[in-house]
Amino acid sequence: MTNRSCQIPGCQGKHVAKGFCAKHYQAHRLQQNQNPAKHSALQETAAAMERTCQVPGCQGAYYAKGFCASHYQKNRILSMSTSSSQEVKGAGHSTGITRQLDNLGRIVLPIELRRSLNIEISDSLEIFVDRDMLILRKYSPGCTFCGTITMDSIYFKGRVICQECNRSCNELLT
């Protein structure tokens, strides 16, 4: 048995298969599944995109997401100003926070919002649709003050209040 080495010039790795060491054999297998001509063209295109800005006529150095630093900031500001988090009349105020859905359709509510709205882990949320808006509200089936569930409860500023607590509040104010 002979001590063969990798066929790649300059590599002293121990031969594993088809004239390659383990590292180069794995690379060979991955490249074998792709069209070599297409692969090299994609590599050249990717390398060119990494070096310069993707904006036509701009030769700025790559910074992030295909843009130079200047175009990246402009694109970021533009996307923030046209995002769906803009204030909608009658829908409350804008938080400036955007979130993407994951592949299961979930979003994460930021801790700042959960704290300000007193939403704890495992609390239930009600989901409403108003024209093109999705509204989430902490679910509370009973009175905000005493927790009782009655059919004659009223809503005041998004909170459920039973008639007895409503009378008590009115007495405190008079």
Side-chain angles (χ1 to χ4, degrees):
M1 190 164 137
T2 61
N3 288 336
R4 293 172 56 188
S5 62
C6 182
Q7 70 180 5
I8 301 293
C11 181
Q12 298 300 317
K14 185 179 175 185
H15 174 267
V16 174
K18 296 189 179 186
F20 298 111
C21 65
K23 176 178 131 184
H24 291 115
Y25 176 65
Q26 184 68 19
H28 171 74
R29 285 185 50 217
L30 291 173
Q31 201 170 32
Q32 194 175 18
N33 292 334
Q34 299 174 351
N35 181 351
K38 184 178 179 183
H39 181 65
S40 63
L42 286 174
Q43 283 178 332
E44 289 174 21
T45 304
M49 284 181 65
E50 288 181 26
R51 291 189 298 263
T52 60
C53 182
Q54 71 180 10
V55 174
C58 180
Q59 295 300 313
Y62 176 85
Y63 177 73
K65 298 189 178 186
F67 297 107
C68 64
S70 174
H71 286 117
Y72 174 74
Q73 290 299 329
K74 288 177 185 174
N75 187 45
R76 193 170 149 252
I77 291 167
L78 179 66
S79 66
M80 285 172 51
S81 67
T82 59
S83 71
S84 61
S85 66
Q86 288 180 334
E87 187 171 336
V88 178
K89 188 174 182 181
H93 64 280
S94 172
T95 62
I97 299 171
T98 60
R99 289 288 191 255
Q100 287 188 330
L101 291 176
D102 69 4
N103 57 353
L104 296 176
R106 299 176 295 196
I107 59 169
V108 175
L109 296 177
I111 189 72
E112 300 87 17
L113 289 177
R114 295 194 317 254
R115 284 182 181 151
S116 68
L117 298 171
N118 196 27
I119 298 173
E120 301 293 329
I121 294 173
S122 76
D123 280 352
S124 296
L125 297 175
E126 289 181 286
I127 303 171
F128 300 95
V129 177
D130 183 13
R131 285 172 274 168
D132 63 343
M133 289 187 295
L134 186 66
I135 302 168
L136 298 175
R137 181 172 64 188
K138 184 176 177 179
Y139 178 67
S140 61
C143 176
T144 302
F145 300 110
C146 65
T148 58
I149 301 172
T150 60
M151 296 302 291
D152 60 347
S153 297
I154 60 167
Y155 280 92
F156 179 73
K157 293 194 175 187
R159 309 281 181 175
V160 178
I161 303 174
C162 69
Q163 290 295 336
E164 187 174 325
C165 290
N166 186 30
R167 276 193 290 277
S168 298
C169 289
N170 287 335
E171 289 172 8
L172 288 173
L173 294 174
T174 57

